[in-house]
Amino acid sequence: MFVFLVVVFGAVLLLCTPALLGLADADYLVILTPLAQWLPALAVIVALRATRSPEKLGAAWTARPVTRQTLRTSLLITGAVLAVPVLQLGIGILIGIVDWRPAPDALTTAIWIAPFAVLALLSAAGEEFGWRGFLWSRVRASRGFWVAAVIVGVIWSAWHLPLLLAYGLQGDLEWRVVLASSVNLVVASLVLGLGRELSGSAWPAAWGHALLNSALVFAAANLVTPDAALDDAPFWAYTALGWAAWVGIAVGIAAVARRRRAPVTVSRPAIR
């Protein structure tokens, strides 16, 4: 695991260094991001070879063949991820934190959410083979579900930090958005971790990741008051609603799974 972390963090730092030092415009990162998302999967290959591990790559990635359990879990994760913006928007509008402001072409844009998510899956899989595949197996082996989900989420968030800082330093992102995005990744990891846990595969987490990059981005950009137009108090209140939605949904799914004694990916008898 140590080699994996060194390689994956070293690679992203190397990629972001020109933008972090102001030697290049951060626009190049937008172009390279889909390829950079495969850095975690590639880091697994390096780690296996460096440690001369006999583990096969497919098993290390947990890129197992799609089964009914994988499809059922993916459907569950679809509902969970889509419920986040519904709850956040609904409550936010109801209590007056944000206003309902659909963009003129919101309906047309919404049609492309599913196709874009399928396309985004191609790059999200590269991340999830590393995070909820290789890394999850190692962290989860000696820890309970919630601790493992938080640890993987914190590492996942930290890996994105050089990219977020580059955008912040060049003025493309507000600093409050950088901080909020970092926490967003940690709480989203709870739901994505459930996708891995309940299926034994990285595919449901990858699909949830792809939806996060499509449906949630669409909702924030096309349906309500833009972040830039919000003062600090409503911005953080609205952001906190999203965090609460992620945590609440994860706790709810875990509770139902525990009652049904859903299968897990390691030898532990239940989510805890």
Side-chain angles (χ1 to χ4, degrees):
M1 187 169 75
F2 175 76
V3 174
F4 166 77
L5 292 175
V6 169
V7 172
V8 77
F9 274 91
V12 76
L13 282 171
L14 184 63
L15 180 68
C16 294
T17 292
L20 287 170
L21 296 179
L23 301 177
D25 192 285
D27 287 347
Y28 78 92
L29 294 173
V30 177
I31 300 171
L32 294 180
T33 292
L35 297 176
Q37 287 185 277
W38 272 88
L39 289 176
L42 296 176
V44 174
I45 298 175
V46 176
L48 292 178
R49 296 204 173 185
T51 59
R52 298 183 180 179
S53 171
E55 187 175 11
K56 292 184 178 180
L57 183 60
W61 280 353
T62 62
R64 297 168 182 168
V66 175
T67 64
R68 289 183 180 179
Q69 181 66 19
T70 306
L71 293 175
R72 283 196 295 266
T73 305
S74 296
L75 184 60
L76 175 65
I77 296 303
T78 298
V81 173
L82 294 181
V84 171
V86 171
L87 289 171
Q88 187 181 22
L89 268 67
I91 297 174
I93 292 170
L94 183 64
I95 64 178
I97 296 175
V98 292
D99 296 324
W100 174 248
R101 291 188 187 177
D105 58 348
L107 183 59
T108 303
T109 305
I111 297 173
W112 292 97
I113 291 177
F116 183 80
V118 172
L119 183 62
L121 177 62
L122 298 176
S123 52
E127 277 200 55
E128 294 306 325
F129 290 162
W131 304 128
R132 251 65 60 172
F134 180 82
L135 183 62
W136 180 270
S137 297
R138 279 131 186 93
V139 174
R140 179 68 171 97
S142 59
R143 295 172 177 85
F145 169 79
W146 296 108
V147 174
V150 171
I151 290 174
V152 172
V154 169
I155 294 173
W156 184 40
S157 178
W159 184 75
H160 284 81
L161 194 55
L163 176 65
L164 294 172
L165 288 176
Y167 287 135
L169 288 170
Q170 297 204 7
D172 295 319
L173 280 181
E174 295 179 282
W175 287 113
R176 63 182 186 175
V177 175
V178 171
L179 177 57
S181 298
S182 297
V183 179
N184 288 344
L185 293 172
V186 177
V187 293
S189 181
L190 302 178
V191 171
L192 299 186
L194 281 166
R196 166 66 166 86
E197 184 84 354
L198 298 176
S199 67
S201 169
W203 285 116
W207 174 242
H209 188 156
L211 281 175
L212 190 157
N213 289 345
S214 54
L216 268 69
V217 171
F218 164 79
N222 292 277
L223 299 181
V224 294
T225 310
D227 287 344
L230 294 174
D231 292 332
D232 285 344
F235 171 84
W236 288 114
Y238 186 65
T239 300
L241 284 176
W243 297 342
W246 282 113
V247 174
I249 290 168
V251 170
I253 293 174
V256 172
R258 189 184 301 111
R259 285 198 296 270
R260 294 182 178 180
R261 295 184 179 180
V264 296
T265 61
V266 294
S267 59
R268 295 177 179 273
I271 293 173
R272 64 180 190 177

